[in-house]
Amino acid sequence: MEKMLVFGHKNPDTDTICSAIALSELKKAEGLDVEAVRLGELNSETEFVLKSAGIDAPRLVQTVSNEVNTVCLVDHNEAQQSADDISDVTIHTVIDHHRIANFETADPLYYRAEPVGCTATILLKLFAEKNVEISKVVAKLMVSAIISDTLLFKSPTSTAEDRTAAEKLASIAGIDLEAYGMEMLRAGADVSKKSVAELLLDAKEFDMNGHKIEIAQINVVDEEDVLTRMNEVEPVIQKAIADKGLDLYLFVITNILTNDSVGVAMGTETNAIEEAYKVKLIDGKTKLAGVVSRKKQVVPVLTEIFSK
Amino acid sequence: MEKMLVFGHKNPDTDTICSAIALSELKKAEGLDVEAVRLGELNSETEFVLKSAGIDAPRLVQTVSNEVNTVCLVDHNEAQQSADDISDVTIHTVIDHHRIANFETADPLYYRAEPVGCTATILLKLFAEKNVEISKVVAKLMVSAIISDTLLFKSPTSTAEDRTAAEKLASIAGIDLEAYGMEMLRAGADVSKKSVAELLLDAKEFDMNGHKIEIAQINVVDEEDVLTRMNEVEPVIQKAIADKGLDLYLFVITNILTNDSVGVAMGTETNAIEEAYKVKLIDGKTKLAGVVSRKKQVVPVLTEIFSK
């Protein structure tokens, strides 16, 4: 079979990068010609993970149809989160843990989504089902993905399966889950050296009943580290709104120690935030108590508001 | 957890009915409150299968949201093939082997699609993964589904996995795969007692780049048995085109002994058939040599034509 590229979403996070590498290792073990690639710059948490595992980042690509006819997706399915030319290639496999939307194929495919906290938790099952051994390095990548997506099991997206998978992978990787996990999350939450663009790196765009919504999220150990820089951040968000014709931009600043967030909303539809969370925005900002998961506590809530 | 309904597509076939029952048995074994239901009348092949297995047909329903909030789908995902009020319920699980299209959820879900010939082949894996024993009756339903969807392994949709699964299930069910399979297919292909509506029962509607296409298929042992009745069939197809605003209606008459089909095309876009298969329609009819699979040999080919 001809070569396939394996990749996660734009604005890659730790799960997207690590699961792309893990799925490519699984496919290679099955004798397929695959390469893990990425659609954007690494964040500091993922840089920490790759350095700690001692492997290079997947190659950065802008488009995929110039290289291959067939691709495998991890950690996403919505076209606007994927390669710009995703409609020009055949999707062979999807391994994901998100809702399904804006996704269509002409042919049957392998699609495995489970409502768990992390793509890597599903991949661990696939390795077992296909009887492929997981190397120490890949196990470290996979457990890092789970720690990242579940905020070390603090996120409401975290399931019992994620914890069991992480414990098994930590054992293969030979790491202390709690100690390594906190070190990794703190590395990602250190915003002191981040540019404004990096603060907004983890942004995903959604189509909600015809409304264009972008939701960015960043993990911090103190939200003031970001809020004091909003004078620099705001023009960048306003530019994104103008350039992409967004109706709403929500920037979620999540404190990994308190497990609360501050939401900063801009655009013409900020009233959706007030309606969704029964809050009043003050200077476009509001506390979102207990909100740490974009997938579970933001996207479905806003989808419902915009479906009315 | 509150009760869920499990069902396959409208105009149910043997896989849709049998896989709905099999998935509901699996979910029951996991302690869930589920009921298999159906969205339409049984075809004669499925009637033969249920009678042979000694169980009743799932209950017929018109809508689902009046009964439950949550459902599981087998053997389909496209909204227009599902319950009319599918958008009013939450989809918990999908087990399917078709392309993904016109399918969207607000929340993460369990979605398992594999490019195999039959939903039941995937279900057999799930029973194994969840360590649930398959009863003799459910095994007979599942092997019947595989025989039906693969035309006893003659269809190009049939994979090595389907054959292995069928052999395993035949062994549990205590049947001779070839003998039972041919008997079952012949029962379904006997069109002598079928009304015109029954000839067109296995019809599925597709949206192809804004074009509305309906594709019906029937298995026969002699295509003349249907072609001689086209004077009755044609007005019914024309009515469907008018009522639903279809651009193209393709009726595929598949000979299960020769593994060829005759295609009868009506509507404003019949030239798509000529372009897709490099044929000339004569009186709206053409031989489709070697074509037995709507999923693999009709839908992708037409999707490509209409994507231009």
Side-chain angles (χ1 to χ4, degrees), chain B residues 13-28:
Chain B
D13 59 11
T14 299
D15 184 23
T16 259
I17 295 292
C18 294
S19 287
I21 297 170
L23 181 61
S24 72
E25 291 302 311
L26 179 62
K27 298 269 184 204
K28 280 178 200 164

Side-chain angles (χ1 to χ4, degrees), chain B residues 6-251:
Chain B
V6 181
F7 50 90
H9 52 76
K10 283 177 177 162
N11 304 327
D13 59 11
T14 299
D15 184 23
T16 259
I17 295 292
C18 294
S19 287
I21 297 170
L23 181 61
S24 72
E25 291 302 311
L26 179 62
K27 298 269 184 204
K28 280 178 200 164
E30 296 181 274
L32 296 172
D33 181 12
V34 294
E35 180 189 0
V37 295
R38 64 187 159 97
L39 301 179
E41 295 307 323
L42 297 181
N43 67 35
S44 52
E45 182 191 273
T46 312
E47 277 178 351
F48 171 93
V49 169
L50 294 180
K51 194 173 170 193
S52 169
I55 67 163
D56 291 334
R59 179 167 61 90
L60 177 67
V61 300
Q62 301 297 338
T63 54
V64 293
S65 64
N66 51 314
E67 297 193 37
V68 295
N69 296 312
T70 311
V71 301
C72 302
L73 308 185
V74 294
D75 197 29
H76 76 295
N77 65 85
E78 304 191 35
Q80 75 282 5
Q81 298 169 4
S82 198
D84 288 335
D85 57 346
I86 190 70
S87 64
D88 299 333
V89 292
T90 298
I91 300 170
H92 180 275
T93 296
V94 179
I95 314 293
D96 192 18
H97 65 126
H98 295 87
R99 71 166 190 167
I100 299 176
N102 197 11
F103 179 83
E104 181 162 328
T105 65
D107 291 284
L109 74 164
Y110 187 99
Y111 196 111
R112 178 88 165 247
E114 300 193 20
V116 293
C118 180
T119 309
T121 302
I122 307 166
L123 285 171
L124 177 60
K125 293 188 195 185
L126 294 184
F127 274 92
E129 287 164 22
K130 294 176 185 297
N131 212 15
V132 175
E133 207 180 328
I134 300 176
S135 72
K136 200 168 169 170
V137 167
V138 171
K140 189 161 194 176
L141 298 178
M142 289 169 74
V143 69
S144 300
I146 298 175
I147 292 163
S148 174
D149 268 16
T150 67
L151 276 185
L152 203 46
F153 319 117
K154 296 290 195 328
S155 168
T157 60
S158 185
T159 68
E161 286 192 51
D162 295 300
R163 186 181 274 273
T164 307
E167 284 166 358
K168 187 168 176 187
L169 290 162
S171 154
I172 299 171
I175 59 163
D176 180 301
L177 192 50
E178 291 292 325
Y180 172 80
M182 275 316 295
E183 189 188 358
M184 188 198 109
L185 289 178
R186 280 181 177 276
D190 177 6
V191 297
S192 61
K193 293 189 200 98
K194 284 191 165 133
S195 68
V196 172
E198 285 169 328
L199 295 179
L200 297 170
L201 196 64
D202 179 14
K204 288 186 184 178
E205 193 182 319
F206 299 90
D207 178 301
M208 295 184 185
N209 199 19
H211 301 265
K212 287 183 83 174
I213 317 295
E214 187 152 323
I215 306 171
Q217 186 173 26
I218 192 163
N219 290 346
V220 295
V221 289
D222 182 349
E223 47 272 34
E224 288 304 319
D225 294 345
V226 173
L227 290 174
T228 52
R229 295 174 64 186
M230 281 311 295
N231 60 327
E232 302 168 72
V233 173
E234 192 171 326
V236 178
I237 292 180
Q238 292 294 8
K239 186 169 187 310
I241 291 172
D243 289 352
K244 300 181 189 177
L246 301 173
D247 299 297
L248 173 64
Y249 195 114
L250 178 65
F251 182 27

